[in-house]
């Protein structure tokens, strides 16, 4: 038979047993005793606030070392010489060039001697005035350095085969 007894009062359960939770245990009880417990479906074995927050321990993904250099613009190593040569090719004295970019000649001379690096705004004015480029993209430089060159063309292969 399919008879069940109430786990609280021991009475025979007629019809569907009520599943309730009392003190953390799920019990099958009669309708009378169901009021002593909580309905099982509203009970969760571990209170939500006790669930370990595993996501908090997910390690932070570190950026690849190469990403560090992405879009990093660097002043070219010989910026002073480039400025001086560009200025001289335009037939300008340091004073004349300084006046054109509205900076002091003393500052320009120091930059040309590479005693100081130009501030970004000064650098941009120099680049615009002299039509030169004073920065290089580091990641580009590295890619060029590690690249394999232009590679073989079909013509190259043909000439190799002829030999
Ligand atoms: Zn009962």
């Amino acid at each position: 038979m399919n008879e069940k007894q109430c786990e609280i009062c021991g009475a025979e359960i007629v019809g569907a047993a009520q599943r309730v939770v009392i003190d953390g245990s799920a019990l099958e009880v009669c309708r009378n005793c169901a009021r002593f417990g909580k309905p099982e479906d509203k009970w969760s074995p571990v209170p939500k606030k006790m669930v370990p927050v595993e996501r908090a321990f997910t390690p932070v993904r570190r950026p690849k070392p190469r990403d560090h250099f992405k879009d990093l613009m660097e002043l070219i190593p010989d910026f002073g010489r480039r400025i001086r040569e560009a200025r001289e090719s335009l037939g300008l004295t340091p004073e004349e060039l300084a006046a054109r970019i509205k900076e002091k000649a003393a500052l320009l001379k120091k930059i040309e001697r590479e005693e100081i690096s130009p501030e970004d705004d000064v650098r941009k004015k120099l680049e615009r005035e002299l039509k030169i480029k004073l920065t290089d993209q580091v990641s580009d430089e590295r890619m060029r350095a590690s690249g394999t060159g232009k590679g073989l063309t079909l013509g190259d292969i043909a000439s190799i085969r002829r030999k």
Side-chain angles (χ1 to χ4, degrees):
M1 293 296 282
N2 205 19
E3 286 173 354
K4 287 174 186 165
Q5 288 188 320
C6 171
E7 290 182 72
I8 291 177
C9 67
E12 233 172 64
I13 296 171
V14 181
Q18 312 283 305
R19 285 186 68 89
V20 297
V21 174
I22 292 165
D23 256 3
S25 306
L27 303 174
E28 292 197 322
V29 300
C30 68
R31 279 185 192 145
N32 264 347
C33 299
R35 59 195 162 96
F36 296 125
K38 299 175 197 169
E40 191 184 34
D41 62 350
K42 284 183 186 166
W43 181 80
S44 77
V46 182
K48 283 211 161 67
K49 62 181 176 183
M50 297 289 284
V51 176
V53 187
E54 282 174 35
R55 294 173 73 90
F57 297 99
T58 306
V60 176
R61 201 175 64 84
R62 293 167 139 236
K64 291 175 208 149
R66 212 157 58 91
D67 291 349
H68 184 65
F69 295 100
K70 200 184 175 189
D71 297 332
L72 179 62
M73 300 298 282
E74 263 199 358
L75 204 60
I76 56 173
D78 57 346
F79 64 92
R81 187 175 58 82
R82 294 276 189 98
I83 293 167
R84 197 187 67 244
E85 285 176 358
R87 173 177 58 72
E88 286 170 351
S89 76
L90 291 170
L92 296 171
T93 64
E95 287 75 15
E96 284 168 336
L97 176 59
R100 286 198 185 195
I101 62 168
K102 297 184 171 61
E103 296 291 338
K104 290 194 168 71
L107 174 77
L108 180 61
K109 286 176 186 174
K110 276 185 185 174
I111 292 170
E112 285 192 4
R113 287 196 299 266
E114 292 169 19
E115 288 172 19
I116 56 169
S117 299
E119 298 284 329
D120 262 6
D121 60 329
V122 176
R123 174 180 58 76
K124 282 171 189 164
K125 283 191 284 186
L126 283 167
E127 286 179 333
R128 205 162 41 230
E129 192 64 36
L130 299 170
K131 296 180 177 60
I132 56 174
K133 195 132 175 54
L134 295 173
T135 54
D136 208 350
Q137 205 159 4
V138 173
S139 56
D140 275 359
E141 189 62 47
R142 289 185 173 214
M143 281 199 285
R144 277 199 297 273
S146 63
T148 52
K150 69 185 172 90
L152 290 174
T153 64
L154 285 176
D156 292 330
I157 293 167
S159 66
I160 290 165
R161 280 181 183 160
R162 274 198 296 271
K163 283 173 188 170

